[in-house]
Each structure stands twice: as structure tokens, then as C-alpha cells.
Amino acid sequence: MSPPASRSPAASRPMIQVEDLHKTFGDHKVLTGINLTVPAGSTCVILGGSGSGKTVLMKHMIGLLKPDSGKVIIDGEDIVPMGVEALQKVRNTFGMVFQAAALFDSMTVFENVAFPLREHTKDPEDVIRQKVRARLDLMGLKRDVEDRFPADLSGGMRKRVGLARAIVMDPKVVLYDEPTTGLDPITTDYVDEMILAAQRELGVTSVVISHDISSAFNVADQIAFLSKGVIVANGTPEQLRESEHPAVKVFLETWFGKN
Ligand SMILES: Nc1ncnc2c1ncn2[C@@H]1O[C@H](COP(=O)(O)OP(=O)(O)O)[C@@H](O)[C@H]1O
Ligand SMILES: [Mg+2]
């Protein structure tokens, strides 16, 4: 399949290029030659069964894991040979959203979202306030949420605070690892909307790991299907739906069978 055309006009140059990536743990070959290109400003969903290596692949994209061989080129630069400092610079241009929102329980919503700015910038207080509020607004969170603590929020709201924090530094890339797992359908739709809003309003490049097909079809410009260490199908949602690869067919049939 040929790479998909993106909804986003900015999607011309590649933002992420993974080339022939291999990773083994002990004698367990998890990734055995991954090739994947994500154009700037587009959203790529990585689908695959549990344990297929989706999280391992994503961790390579941000340099949390080093491959046995292969390249991970972010905005033109291979991050694999980079040392801690250079890597940290690249990481600062990324936002991350994990399955658990991982908010700081002892901090208010405002302080949670402001945290990356306080850590990594010298922004004065008024700029911080303005940036935090803009991101909370984008996530549909009202002013009165600012001073609340994570424990007092619903799961869906916590998730949105996590998304606001992930995009507060104006990242080039946002990585989402199973952002909707464990959420009810309405909250899932809301998170999908937020992913699309971040793409539309901020032009971010997004990589989303999911095993929720309807969510994947909602947000993806491109879906890459991971099976047995390689990407066995890669294309638009429509192209994936027509894939003849047995692993993809089983996955889709199982899903559409039960939904
Ligand atoms: N740090 C690690 N050490 C050893 N094995 C690992 C490590 N991280 C992941 N694995 C193994 O790699 C495989 C893929 O894991 P993962 O990427 O988390 O799967 P998933 O597709 O569900 O996200 C699993 O078998 C997992 O046990
Ligand atoms: Mg995972």
C-alpha cells in the first residue's frame, strides 16, 4: 500500500521515520525490521494485538529504548546515536499521554498543566497562566477546574488535564499510548475529539497506540498494523479495512464481530 494522503495541508515532510528497527529482549525478538514514516501534521495509529510491541516501538520514537539496529529519524535527525543531552532537547519537543493520566495528586489542575513550563522554560507567571488557560480551554475544561485536585475529577476530566499538559509546551509530536483504554464510550469519543483538536489547532504530528478500532478509524490519517515484529499493513483506514493480511483480517473481524 502507498502512504496515505493526510487531512492536514502541513503533511509534506516526514516528522518521524523509523528505518529497519530491530529490538530483542534476551532471546525474545520483539521488533524485527520496522519501517514507518509519519508525515508532519498527520496522525498515525499503531494497531496490533496485546504484546505485539506497540509500546516498545513508541518508546524508541522518544529514545526511551535504544534499538539493536536501525534508525529513528525525528524531524530529519537520527536520535539513536544521541547522548542524554541531545535526546532531552528532542524530548522537550514531544508530548506524551499514557494510559494512566499520571497527574501529580498533590498539585492542582493548574499546577499540573503548568509543570512542564516551570521545569523547562523561563516563562514569566503571566505567560504561564495564559498558556495553561489556552490549553485547558482547548480541552474544553472550564476555569473552575483550575484549582481542583486530580482526585476530585472524573476519569474523563483527568484524561483531558493530561492531554492539556502534554500539549502545553507546543510539542511538534504527541505520543499517545492507549489513551482510551478503560474509558467509557462517551469519554472515548471525547478523547478522540481532543486528539483531533490538537492536530487541527496546533498542527501536531500524533502517534496513537490503540486496540480500539473505532477510535483508530476516528482519528487516523494512517494506520500501521504491527504483527510478529513488523508492520504488515500500512495505509488509510479504508485501505486497512481492505487488507488481505490474515492477522489484520482476524483482528478486524474479531472487533466488528463483537461490536
Ligand atoms: N523492558 C523490557 N524487557 C523485557 N521485555 C520487554 C520489555 N519491554 C517489553 N518487553 C516485551 O516486549 C513485548 C512487547 O511489549 P509491548 O510493546 O509492551 O506490547 P504492546 O503491543 O502490548 O504494547 C512483550 O512480550 C513484553 O513482555
Ligand atoms: Mg502497550
Side-chain angles (χ1 to χ4, degrees):
M1 283 183 234
S2 57
S6 169
R7 281 189 294 261
S8 164
S12 43
R13 76 198 148 99
M15 178 58 76
I16 302 171
Q17 293 160 278
V18 177
E19 292 181 6
D20 199 23
L21 197 75
H22 290 251
K23 181 68 175 179
T24 299
F25 294 108
D27 55 8
H28 184 186
K29 292 182 178 159
V30 177
L31 304 179
T32 57
I34 299 283
N35 290 289
L36 180 66
T37 298
V38 184
S42 73
T43 298
C44 174
V45 172
I46 300 171
L47 281 181
S50 179
S52 60
K54 303 181 296 296
T55 298
V56 167
L57 173 57
M58 185 170 270
K59 283 181 173 169
H60 281 87
M61 290 178 180
I62 195 167
L64 288 171
L65 287 172
K66 292 275 186 197
D68 304 331
S69 63
K71 291 182 182 174
V72 178
I73 300 164
I74 305 295
D75 208 6
E77 268 193 301
D78 187 1
I79 66 166
V80 172
M82 281 183 183
V84 187
E85 260 175 50
L87 205 48
Q88 192 55 52
K89 284 214 181 91
V90 176
R91 277 191 199 143
N92 289 347
T93 69
F94 276 59
M96 303 271 285
V97 182
F98 292 108
Q99 186 173 338
L103 299 174
F104 302 112
D105 292 332
S106 62
M107 289 184 193
T108 62
V109 165
F110 184 92
E111 286 307 321
N112 263 284
V113 178
F115 186 78
L117 297 170
R118 297 201 196 287
E119 279 287 279
H120 300 293
T121 74
K122 295 192 167 63
D123 286 347
E125 201 52 38
D126 57 328
V127 173
I128 290 181
R129 186 155 303 272
Q130 178 236 319
K131 285 184 179 173
V132 170
R133 288 193 167 157
R135 292 303 176 258
L136 289 173
D137 276 352
L138 185 62
M139 291 300 128
L141 293 165
K142 302 218 167 66
R143 280 292 150 77
D144 62 351
V145 174
E146 274 182 19
D147 296 324
R148 289 162 71 182
F149 289 88
D152 303 327
L153 304 176
S154 68
M157 281 170 101
R158 276 203 296 275
K159 193 62 109 185
R160 283 190 263 162
V161 174
L163 292 179
R165 187 176 61 186
I167 57 174
V168 78
M169 296 268 288
D170 262 329
K172 288 195 282 194
V173 178
V174 184
L175 304 177
Y176 302 87
D177 193 348
E178 310 239 3
T180 60
T181 297
L183 297 180
D184 61 80
I186 291 169
T187 310
T188 295
D189 284 351
Y190 213 90
V191 170
D192 289 351
E193 271 307 308
M194 298 299 113
I195 293 173
L196 290 168
Q199 180 195 28
R200 194 175 57 234
E201 305 294 327
L202 309 175
V204 299
T205 307
S206 311
V207 180
V208 185
I209 293 177
S210 184
H211 53 235
D212 180 328
I213 309 243
S214 64
S215 185
F217 277 66
N218 276 341
V219 301
D221 295 302
Q222 168 186 13
I223 299 180
F225 192 95
L226 188 58
S227 174
K228 301 207 168 108
V230 291
I231 300 214
V232 296
N234 183 7
T236 62
E238 294 70 31
Q239 286 170 330
L240 192 90
R241 209 192 276 270
E242 274 145 35
S243 170
E244 292 296 323
H245 194 283
V248 180
K249 287 180 86 163
V250 168
F251 196 83
L252 294 185
E253 273 160 22
T254 309
W255 177 266
F256 288 114
K258 73 169 191 240
N259 283 277

